[in-house]
Amino acid sequence: MSAEAHRYAVFGHPIAHSLSPQIHAAFAGQLGIQLSYEAIDAAPAEFEEAVRRFFAEGGLGANVTLPHKEAAFALATERTDAAARAGAVNTLTALVGGKIQAHNTDGSGFVRDVTERHSLDLRGHDALLLGAGGAAKAVAWALMDAGVQTLTIVNRTPERADAIADAIGEPARCHTRYWDGLDGECFDLVVNATSIGVTGGTFDLPMSILQDHSTCYDLCYGAAAASFKGWATAVGARYFRDGLGMLIEQAADAFERWHGQRPDTDPVYQLLRQRF
Ligand code: NAP
């Protein structure tokens, strides 16, 4: 079968910056799988038609990034549990009969990066999650599943944080605070799932919220992680981790779903780490 027959893509807007084509090509090369994986720029008004055309023309799987994750959830004919929990998806898979399945690998990719690459056992942690967008939703559920002791969610728009906590429905473990209501609280894991590093803004959080051995994790990487890293360093976090590993792990989860084989993510991580 020709490489064209195994067609995959990532949809976003913009998309030129996406590392997904390079990551999937590296995974495929490792495992001797022939595929084509292209980056498709689709403006929001064109997204649904572009995705439907891609699958109608034989596309087998698509990743989806900003700003289309919720639209991708909406257009799917089937949704996995991870997709339904997040209400936003990054992985679409062609099923027989023209159906499209939606899945979210952000949460699993985050946990795999934290626990396997960075050897942090999440069980028993008191975690603070900043943000309540699509990625935060997936990460909130993943943190709960991974066994954090408590999860506190804060967001600029507090209603969106409340909606995640309500959906999780374990008020003794998962609750919200106002962004400026964290005085007196203390955490050993702070996860930034806002897009402040991209859109601009500051992490005006009390210095006292970190315990001595705390880890700060930013879903962003590269230049977009600079502002949160600056805050984490200033308040004395012991460890700072960025989202490059999560990016590669969530890609590996999608790859495994499509191809039935799990790639070795470490060589790809080492390669991209030289650039970010
Ligand atoms: P999203 O749905 O657009 O959510 C953005 C979040 O950031 C919302 O909670 C928003 O608050 C908050 N925010 C934006 N600007 C802010 C500001 N100036 N001050 C305070 N809060 C602000 O985006 P997403 O898909 O969840 O992605 C969030 C970030 O994670 C992005 O930077 C993305 O690149 C990154 N990400 C990384 C990976 C990875 O694999 N490493 C995967 C997914 C996402 P409001 O609700 O108030 O608007």
Side-chain angles (χ1 to χ4, degrees):
M1 207 179 269
S2 70
E4 281 75 20
H6 293 85
R7 214 179 142 210
Y8 298 84
V10 57
F11 288 82
H13 184 66
I15 197 62
H17 66 286
S18 175
L19 296 173
S20 293
Q22 190 183 339
I23 294 170
H24 280 263
F27 291 164
Q30 265 182 24
L31 295 164
I33 294 172
Q34 284 216 316
L35 54 77
S36 76
Y37 187 109
E38 60 197 302
I40 300 178
D41 195 320
E46 300 153 8
F47 172 69
E48 180 167 353
E49 194 193 328
V51 168
R52 293 200 185 283
R53 190 167 55 241
F54 171 78
F55 282 113
E57 290 173 357
L60 296 177
N63 289 127
V64 179
T65 187
L66 290 173
H68 300 313
K69 289 183 175 183
E70 287 174 4
F73 175 83
L75 69 73
T77 35
E78 285 186 16
R79 298 172 182 109
T80 63
D81 288 347
R85 283 168 152 195
V89 297
N90 63 355
T91 306
L92 296 173
T93 305
L95 301 180
V96 286
K99 290 183 177 170
I100 300 172
Q101 184 200 58
H103 182 58
N104 190 312
T105 64
D106 281 337
S108 58
F110 164 78
V111 166
R112 201 183 285 269
D113 185 48
V114 170
T115 58
E116 294 187 13
R117 177 162 293 106
H118 300 303
S119 305
L120 182 69
D121 185 344
L122 286 163
R123 287 173 297 180
H125 275 67
D126 291 309
L128 172 65
L129 177 62
L130 310 175
K137 234 187 273 184
V139 165
W141 280 102
L143 283 166
M144 294 294 287
D145 287 347
V148 294
Q149 180 164 274
T150 63
L151 174 62
T152 303
I153 310 171
V154 299
N155 191 45
R156 176 177 62 180
T157 309
E159 296 78 12
R160 297 183 78 193
D162 291 341
I164 299 177
D166 287 349
I168 288 173
E170 285 191 53
R173 277 179 73 208
C174 175
H175 47 257
T176 61
R177 294 280 182 270
Y178 289 116
W179 192 284
D180 58 2
L182 289 169
D183 279 319
E185 304 266 352
C186 209
F187 304 95
D188 47 21
L189 174 66
V190 181
V191 180
N192 174 37
T194 73
S195 48
I196 287 176
V198 180
T199 61
T202 52
F203 293 94
D204 46 352
L205 297 161
M207 292 184 77
S208 56
I209 62 172
L210 284 194
Q211 293 175 5
D212 287 348
H213 55 284
S214 299
T215 295
C216 287
Y217 189 105
D218 196 343
L219 266 57
C220 293
Y221 56 89
S227 55
F228 186 59
K229 186 176 184 179
W231 176 82
T233 305
V235 298
R238 178 172 297 180
Y239 303 106
F240 175 82
R241 311 295 187 199
D242 72 13
L244 183 65
M246 171 182 170
L247 176 80
I248 295 164
E249 297 304 331
Q250 61 79 27
D253 285 354
F255 187 95
E256 186 175 10
R257 205 166 184 84
W258 293 334
H259 305 289
Q261 295 181 75
R262 184 151 194 100
D264 181 357
T265 55
D266 280 343
V268 183
Y269 179 79
Q270 298 304 339
L271 187 72
L272 291 177
R273 186 46 88 196
Q274 292 168 21
R275 281 170 50 196
F276 295 97

